[in-house]
Every structure is written in C-alpha cells, then in structure tokens.
Amino acid sequence: MTKEKTKMILDRLDEEYGTTKEGFLHQADWQLLTAIMLSAQSTDKQVDEVLPSLWERFPDIEAVMQASVEEVENAIKSIGLYKVKARNIKKCCEKLWKEYDKKVPKKIEELVGLPGVGRKTATLFLADAYGVSGVTVDTHVFRISRRIGWAEGKNPAQVEKELMKALPEEHWNRINFQLIYHGRSVCTARKTHCESCALEQWCEKRV
C-alpha cells in the first residue's frame, strides 16, 4: 500500500474516531496498569463501572496485598475472567512491592515480567502513562490491518512489526483504539459491513 493511501486512511480514522481516548480512572501508576489488565477481553465501559468502588476498596498496593484473592474477585466480579485477573492483580502488586519499590517499571522488558502483563498490556500502559510510542495489536487491529492491506503477518508480533513500518510513529498509539471502535461497529469479525465503512474505497478486502 502506498504512503498516500495510508495517509488517507489514517486521516479518515482521525475524523471518524478522534485522535485521543479517555483514560481509565486512576491516581497511581499501579492503578492504571491494573485497569488495563482488567480491560483484556472486556469493554472499557465494564472496566469504568468497577473502578470507583475498586479504588475505594483498594486505595494502595498494601490494601491489595493484605486482601484475599476472593476479596479482589468480589470487587471485579462483573469483569470477564475475573478469577484469573484477581490472582494476577494480587501477584502483580506483590512483585511491585518486593522488587520495584511499589512503582511500575518503565521498561517493557520488565513490564512483561509482571504477572498478568503481556506485551499488549505493557505497550498500552507505556503509551497511556508516559506517551511512549508503540503499536498494540489486539484481535481488532490484527484482523483489520490484514484486511485493508497494511499487514500480512500470521501472528500479532509479526503484524506489530509490519504496522510500525507502514504507519507514521505519531499514529502508533491511537491506531489501537481507532481500529477497536471500527472493529466493534463496522468491520466485525463475524461480518464486514462494507456498505457503511468509511474506509471502503481504500480497503483491499483481504481476509
């Protein structure tokens, strides 16, 4: 795909979905990381609904460490995979306490070593917390970037590298939420609604 075509697609995505997203409610870096961990396979709306009561119950890392896993589970019960996430949140806080002086590390190599934190979560955290440029490849980004012709990779790691080459760096952080919105409303996994797609004229319609 040419740079000119890519620019037109990016401009349209900016028009359709904006260039910034609202961040999760948080006061400390560990809370932001926790919120992003909760968002995996859940909607931002679901996460937003539990955060106020979650932070009231667990205002600091010490509160999480002192609580049982069951208490954490009960606080996030409306979130998908809440049992797994509760265990990971507690283990993550314990590791932050013991190894990082209660601060979330700023290096992706250290972030992915935390319980429950994969590359996608780490990249999103660095982007939201510090504005570090990075492409986050979730199921929507993976599917749509291959459909429109930006990538051909067979796994998220390959697509991430392809998108970093195809897209200007200033678009890396926002391509994730833009394609999430597009993937939920128009270019869905179950069916492509090409007749109402703002990108249809440039799409290569790959599977």
Side-chain angles (χ1 to χ4, degrees):
M1 180 180 293
T2 65
K3 290 183 178 180
E4 290 76 17
K5 186 184 289 187
T6 291
K7 184 180 185 305
M8 287 188 284
I9 293 174
L10 293 174
D11 287 346
R12 183 57 62 86
L13 286 171
D14 286 350
E15 292 174 11
E16 291 287 317
Y17 305 110
T19 60
T20 58
K21 68 171 182 176
E22 291 188 14
F24 291 118
L25 173 68
H26 71 283
Q27 292 183 329
D29 55 2
W30 75 271
Q31 291 180 331
L32 175 59
L33 181 62
T34 298
I36 295 173
M37 291 168 67
L38 290 175
S39 70
Q41 298 187 47
S42 299
T43 66
D44 289 356
K45 181 180 179 182
Q46 289 174 317
V47 177
D48 287 336
E49 288 174 351
V50 306
L51 291 184
S53 59
L54 183 65
W55 303 148
E56 184 177 357
R57 172 64 182 83
F58 304 108
D60 49 43
I61 285 180
E62 291 90 334
V64 179
M65 292 179 61
Q66 292 166 6
S68 65
V69 174
E70 289 73 23
E71 288 178 283
V72 180
E73 286 179 4
N74 287 333
I76 62 170
K77 213 161 190 176
S78 60
I79 299 291
L81 303 176
Y82 73 94
K83 287 183 176 290
V84 174
K85 291 176 181 179
R87 289 197 300 272
N88 284 334
I89 288 168
K90 188 167 172 60
K91 289 179 181 178
C92 183
C93 285
E94 290 171 351
K95 189 162 185 175
L96 291 176
W97 172 275
K98 294 176 183 176
E99 299 183 23
Y100 295 101
D101 192 28
K102 297 183 285 185
K103 296 180 177 63
V104 180
K106 298 182 180 181
K107 294 181 179 179
I108 195 166
E109 296 81 7
E110 294 176 317
L111 279 166
V112 297
L114 296 172
V117 179
R119 188 171 182 85
K120 184 182 80 169
T121 297
T123 303
L124 279 175
F125 172 80
L126 291 174
D128 291 351
Y130 306 116
V132 176
S133 297
V135 174
T136 307
V137 180
D138 68 356
T139 181
H140 297 290
V141 176
F142 182 81
R143 180 179 71 254
I144 297 172
S145 61
R146 293 174 78 247
R147 280 180 177 172
I148 65 177
W150 275 337
E152 297 179 346
K154 304 298 183 182
N155 58 60
Q158 293 174 349
V159 170
E160 177 185 343
K161 291 179 180 179
E162 290 178 281
L163 290 178
M164 290 175 74
K165 290 182 179 179
L167 308 182
E169 187 172 345
E170 61 266 25
H171 284 269
W172 290 1
N173 287 349
R174 63 181 182 264
I175 197 65
N176 176 256
F177 74 82
Q178 289 176 336
L179 293 189
I180 284 178
Y181 296 155
H182 194 65
R184 287 175 179 169
S185 60
V186 181
C187 195
T188 67
R190 191 167 294 181
K191 182 180 179 181
T192 56
H193 299 278
C194 299
E195 70 284 353
S196 58
C197 180
L199 311 180
E200 196 276 335
Q201 61 182 302
W202 303 296
C203 183
E204 297 187 10
K205 298 182 179 63
R206 300 182 182 181
V207 175

